[in-house]
Every structure is written in C-alpha cells, then in structure tokens.
Amino acid sequence: MTHAALLVCPTSGSGRARRLAGTVADRLRTAVDRLDPHVASSAEGTAALARRVVAEGVDVLVVLGGDGGAHLAVQACAGTATALAVVPAGTGDDLARTLGVRSVEDVVTALRAGARRPFDLGRLDDGRWFATVLCAGFDSAVNERANAMRWPAGPRRYDLAILAELARPRPARLVVETGDRTLELEALSVAVGNTAHYGGGIPVCPDARADDGLFDVTVVSAVPRRTLLRVLPTLRSGRHVDHPAVRTLRAAAVRLAGPDWTGYADGERLHRLPLGTTCVPGALSIVGSIPSV
C-alpha cells in the first residue's frame, strides 16, 4: 500500500501550480492507494507541511511546484524513508529535469513501476541540503536579479538577467578548496554541481551526476567582457567547459572563500562566502530515474 502526500506550491510558475492542482491530484490517485493533498500559502508553510507529512511517515511526498518548493521538501525528506517526487510547475524546474520528469504522467508511470532511486545531495556546513547546484559570483548575481523580476515567465527570465548582469561583471580573488587541492585565482563565478543544470536548463556542470558521490565544479576565470560574451552562448550546449577561461574539477567536498559573494543553492539565497559543502551519497530517495548525461 502506497501512501502519498501532494504538496501544492500555489504561487509557483505565476500560479501554474494552482491551476494544475486538481488534475495532478486526480492522476496521482490512479497510481497510489491513498493521496493526501496539502496547499501551502508561503515558503514557511511549505517547509512546515513537508516536515509534518514526512514525520507522519508517508511513503512518497509529491511536490507540485518549482525548484524552490522542491528545495524545501528536500530538507524534510533527506535521510528519511520518504521518497520525493516532483511535478514541474515552476520557472526553472531544474530538479525535475534531472529526474527526467516533464509532467505528472512521468510521475504516475514511475509510481506504478515502483521506481525508486538513491540520489546524492550536497550538505552545507550549516546543515542545509541542496539537490542541484550551489553557485556564487556572476551566477548568484543572475539568480538574485531573476528572482526579483516578475516578467517574463520561464527560463527566459534567466536569459534577460544574464544580459543585465553583463553590464557590470565583478571579478574577485576566489579560493576553492577540495581537501587535496587548493585553487586560487581571479574569478567571475563558481558553480558546484551535484547535478548538471541550473537557471532553467543551463548545463553549467555538464558532466555532473547525482549518483557518483562527487561534485563537479566549474570556475570561470576573470576575462574581459568581450571574451565573456563569446563564452556565454556556449553555456546552453555545455561547451563552455572547453574554453581556456573555464576550469573544472571534481571533489567530494568543496569550500569556497575569498570574495564578498552571496551563495545560492537550488536557486535559493544562502549567505555570503565562505561556504562549505559535502556530497552525501544516496541521502535522498527519489521517484523516477537519473538519466545518463
């Protein structure tokens, strides 16, 4: 018997989650024995509801929303027997993309098949978890700007935020420590990828996988704006990692220090550097698969 809870984040995707809630609930009921729907009115409410249903011992927590709602649900599900499923209804939907989920039909198929997979998570020094990418520098400035924008909807918002931030790139002396290696350089940005994508489908760490126990780290060195303009178009294809200005490495633990940059993880604001994180293999059980890169 499968007992699931559906957590609706009604403001996700400019109200898309609210509009889909009834249809999603009806479809999920065909794949589980019991479904308890919950609607959160705020981020705090989402976090509290997620903690409550996990404490009650549900088998699966299904989040209807975006990466922000999924991030809050991860905090509740990590290290527990409750599996997480995500029905994408947000702006970026990068975690759903990693899970190979495009709609509720994919979740229904996985639930019927009993598909559960262990999924690595990043654990920050303060105890918080993240599922996709931790970033700082130019990347986090783009996140900050995109989060403040009300138009347009979807990944296009991130594209416009990138263009706006290009007017004032701010390189700084960055220190990246991985335990057996220290990288110190003038940099524009750094991304620590548990998974490949951020910003609505940008493969910033194109080879990252959430089942190998390691982070992929992408560092963009300080370059003139004209060079940055040549690198950015290659981001969507993942070919940016071939540019001489881009450094990559792999590690099970990473510490970032140096600049007065604010970190973001799963698109959510953290705090200023320094930031440290460790990859915890199989910390989460997910409904679905982890597609090959």
Side-chain angles (χ1 to χ4, degrees):
M1 179 173 180
T2 301
H3 178 191
L6 172 63
L7 180 54
V8 181
C9 306
T11 60
S12 292
S14 300
R16 181 167 175 249
R18 181 189 297 109
R19 295 190 295 272
L20 291 173
T23 300
V24 168
D26 288 343
R27 292 299 298 137
L28 290 174
R29 287 191 177 97
T30 68
V32 299
D33 299 290
R34 174 181 168 186
L35 180 74
D36 299 331
H38 302 274
V39 180
S41 59
S42 65
E44 294 78 10
T46 300
L49 281 170
R51 290 193 301 268
R52 191 183 89 197
V53 299
V54 169
E56 290 171 352
V58 297
D59 300 303
V60 180
L61 173 58
V62 183
V63 174
L64 173 58
D67 288 318
H71 175 79
L72 295 172
V74 163
Q75 310 310 308
C77 294
T80 75
T82 298
L84 176 67
V86 180
V87 177
T91 300
D93 295 321
D94 288 305
L95 180 55
R97 180 175 289 101
T98 296
L99 303 182
V101 174
R102 293 161 296 180
S103 72
V104 66
E105 297 305 323
D106 293 322
V107 174
V108 167
T109 299
L111 285 168
R112 287 175 175 165
R116 303 284 193 281
R117 297 290 185 274
F119 191 93
D120 301 345
L121 293 175
R123 189 173 179 89
L124 296 158
D125 286 348
D126 64 6
R128 279 181 287 181
W129 302 90
F130 71 93
T132 57
V133 177
L134 164 67
C135 65
F138 182 83
D139 300 333
S140 56
V142 168
N143 249 308
E144 198 121 285
R145 182 177 289 273
N147 286 348
M149 295 168 66
R150 294 293 172 263
W151 181 91
R156 181 64 176 159
R157 182 179 300 176
Y158 291 100
D159 294 335
L160 293 182
I162 287 171
L163 291 174
E165 286 300 320
L166 275 173
R168 51 189 184 100
R170 291 161 288 189
R173 196 71 180 172
L174 174 70
V175 179
V176 182
E177 299 178 13
T178 63
D180 61 350
R181 182 178 179 185
T182 299
L183 179 65
E184 186 171 355
L185 74 168
E186 290 292 319
L188 282 171
S189 69
V190 58
V192 180
N194 182 53
T195 63
H197 299 90
Y198 74 170
I202 297 172
V204 64
C205 300
D207 296 325
R209 291 187 58 94
D211 60 358
D212 62 1
L214 295 170
F215 295 126
D216 281 32
V217 184
T218 301
V219 184
V220 179
S221 305
V223 292
R225 188 183 306 169
R226 61 181 179 277
T227 302
L228 188 58
L229 285 169
R230 289 197 295 269
V231 174
L232 284 174
T234 66
L235 271 171
R236 286 286 178 186
S237 65
R239 291 185 295 108
H240 60 287
V241 295
D242 298 325
H243 194 280
V246 178
R247 306 280 294 272
T248 61
L249 55 151
R250 308 190 82 208
V254 179
R255 184 169 178 80
L256 308 175
D260 187 28
W261 289 347
T262 298
Y264 269 71
D266 294 340
E268 299 299 300
R269 198 177 201 273
L270 300 176
H271 57 76
R272 297 188 182 279
L273 271 55
L275 278 167
T277 183
T278 302
C279 185
V280 182
L284 181 69
S285 175
I286 58 99
V287 173
S289 61
I290 305 174
S292 299
V293 294

